[in-house]
Amino acid sequence: KGRDFHLRILLPEDFQMKNARVECSWTLKKILHGYRDILKQRLHSCPDLVSFMVELKTVLEIALKNKQDLHIPRPPEYYSCLVRDLETLGWNKVAYVDTGLATVKLKAEDSCGRQHLITLKLNAKYPTEPPDCLVDFPVQFALSWMPQNSLMDIYNQFLAALESLKEFWDALDEIDGKTWVLEPENPTRSATTRRIAIGNNVSVTVEVDPRHPNMLPECYFLGADHVVTPLRNKLNNNMHSWNPEISLLQNLKDLLEIEFPSRGMLEKSDFAKDCGICYAYRLDGSAPDQVCDDPRCGQPFHQACLYEWLQGLPTSRQSFNTIFGECPYCNK
């Protein structure tokens, strides 16, 4: 783990390893606490000093792995510089600091009032080396850093990045607020896809480009063919009328010539049915995404459930990676 430890091994007059004494610093003693008997036994059994040192290194590495929260001392300048940077930035912008002053979380609000966090993992060479920055963004947060920079510079770059993603989050917030989003259930700020309910067992998955959120997104329709095909045709025929000046949701409504079910009008159970095989809605986090093509049936299934069911039927046939068989509900 790149750490240095000092120790002294005192041998008795007969130079026998088994009677040797090991003296070390209090940090090393603290780490090896609980491994005392193992080290005693190694001293007794090792033929020479070199082999004992190899054994000690192995024990030490295991001990360090089991003590993840071990506090690594940093130079005093690190702490004085970090505290000075935090005071300049303002403690009201700090959401969390760990006890070792190695992890700092900063909070910020964008121009639309959305709350965001940036987690900074600082190494002992800060500010000569930049911290690792963890953010909930759909794109990479590229930090530009010079040794004379401070937390204020990171914070300002973070704010600028938030504003550059404003239109993307505006578009997805409108979808989340005005439609029934089937997946993901609790979208993170980095999620670029939404599966939106259109009707009974019919939905569209949109993949929004974070850099160009007002452009036509990738659209994938899920549902029975007799319902999905007309929607796909409308999208293709009306694609030319996409208007980047109006919202993504309004564009989708205009192109598909539909109104999406809203949270105010309908319950989720009105259009999201459970799988006809396992009788659950969620299976390993995914909703039913295969639908019987018969207009009188339209029963949805999870792909995994349907595949397993059809594989077990003697009447099913498989062509390359597609399996054909009867619907478990209507036998069509």
Side-chain angles (χ1 to χ4, degrees):
K1 292 191 177 287
R3 295 184 59 189
D4 287 329
F5 295 100
H6 294 256
L7 60 99
R8 178 190 288 141
I9 297 174
L10 300 174
L11 292 169
E13 287 179 8
D14 58 3
F15 296 113
Q16 290 293 309
M17 281 286 293
K18 62 181 179 188
N19 297 322
R21 275 168 57 84
V22 179
E23 293 181 353
C24 59
S25 64
W26 68 270
T27 45
L28 184 56
K29 191 174 179 181
K30 192 177 169 188
I31 296 161
L32 293 173
H33 180 74
Y35 295 86
R36 200 175 172 142
D37 292 336
I38 296 169
L39 287 178
K40 242 181 195 174
Q41 186 248 325
R42 294 287 191 275
L43 264 176
H44 273 258
S45 58
C46 283
D48 54 45
L49 195 56
V50 176
S51 55
F52 173 69
M53 290 304 289
V54 171
E55 295 270 8
L56 176 63
K57 187 169 175 283
T58 308
V59 172
L60 182 53
E61 282 178 355
I62 293 165
L64 278 172
K65 202 179 258 182
N66 295 337
K67 276 187 187 284
Q68 290 294 353
D69 59 341
L70 193 75
H71 174 53
I72 301 167
R74 293 164 186 237
E77 311 83 68
Y78 166 87
Y79 297 106
S80 55
C81 177
L82 181 59
V83 171
R84 187 175 63 246
D85 278 2
L86 287 168
E87 283 176 348
T88 308
L89 178 67
W91 289 100
N92 59 322
K93 296 183 179 75
V94 179
Y96 167 83
V97 182
D98 72 336
T99 51
L101 292 185
T103 303
V104 178
K105 288 183 183 180
L106 304 176
K107 56 187 175 183
E109 196 175 276
D110 63 23
S111 56
C112 292
R114 288 178 286 248
Q115 298 292 325
H116 302 271
L117 284 176
I118 179 168
T119 303
L120 309 176
K121 302 266 186 193
L122 299 110
N123 65 34
K125 291 181 180 172
Y126 175 85
T128 312
E129 290 180 8
D132 291 330
C133 302
L134 307 171
V135 289
D136 189 12
F137 281 5
V139 292
Q140 193 180 0
F141 176 59
L143 179 68
S144 139
W145 186 261
M146 303 282 282
Q148 63 268 28
N149 284 151
S150 67
L151 294 184
M152 185 65 89
D153 297 289
I154 296 175
Y155 195 76
N156 290 335
Q157 288 180 52
F158 181 52
L159 289 177
L162 291 180
E163 287 315 298
S164 73
L165 291 163
K166 176 189 173 298
E167 287 184 351
F168 168 74
W169 285 321
D170 284 348
L172 290 182
D173 280 359
E174 187 186 12
I175 289 172
D176 292 340
K178 294 183 178 176
T179 70
W180 267 111
V181 173
L182 302 177
E183 291 178 285
E185 267 194 310
N186 300 302
T188 58
R189 287 287 172 205
S190 58
T192 56
T193 60
R194 295 291 189 275
R195 185 176 159 202
I196 312 165
I198 294 175
N200 206 352
N201 303 317
V202 186
S203 59
V204 60
T205 299
V206 293
E207 173 86 44
V208 184
D209 182 347
R211 295 290 184 209
H212 309 285
N214 293 330
M215 302 310 287
L216 176 66
E218 294 276 350
C219 296
Y220 311 95
F221 292 96
L222 291 161
D225 282 348
H226 68 277
V227 184
V228 162
T229 304
L231 288 168
R232 205 176 277 128
N233 291 338
K234 279 180 188 174
L235 181 70
N236 292 333
N237 296 337
N238 298 335
M239 211 179 271
H240 63 276
S241 61
W242 184 274
N243 181 2
E245 299 303 312
I246 62 174
S247 77
L248 186 141
L249 182 61
Q250 191 57 52
N251 267 310
L252 285 173
K253 287 180 186 177
D254 294 347
L255 263 65
L256 299 173
E257 299 168 16
I258 58 165
E259 281 295 326
F260 289 101
S262 72
R263 290 174 176 271
M265 304 291 287
L266 291 165
E267 291 294 316
K268 198 169 185 176
S269 55
D270 292 335
F271 50 79
K273 274 199 214 163
D274 294 342
C275 169
I277 295 170
C278 73
Y279 300 110
Y281 184 67
R282 295 246 160 236
L283 177 72
D284 296 333
S286 63
D289 57 358
Q290 305 294 313
V291 179
C292 174
D293 283 337
D294 192 288
R296 289 165 299 177
C297 178
Q299 176 64 43
F301 307 95
H302 294 117
Q303 187 170 334
C305 295
L306 193 58
Y307 183 75
E308 202 172 312
W309 174 278
L310 292 175
Q311 268 198 321
L313 292 181
T315 52
S316 298
R317 62 187 179 81
Q318 190 158 352
S319 172
F320 297 103
N321 62 344
T322 307
I323 193 163
F324 301 88
E326 294 169 359
C327 169
Y329 250 62
C330 68
N331 295 330
K332 289 288 194 299

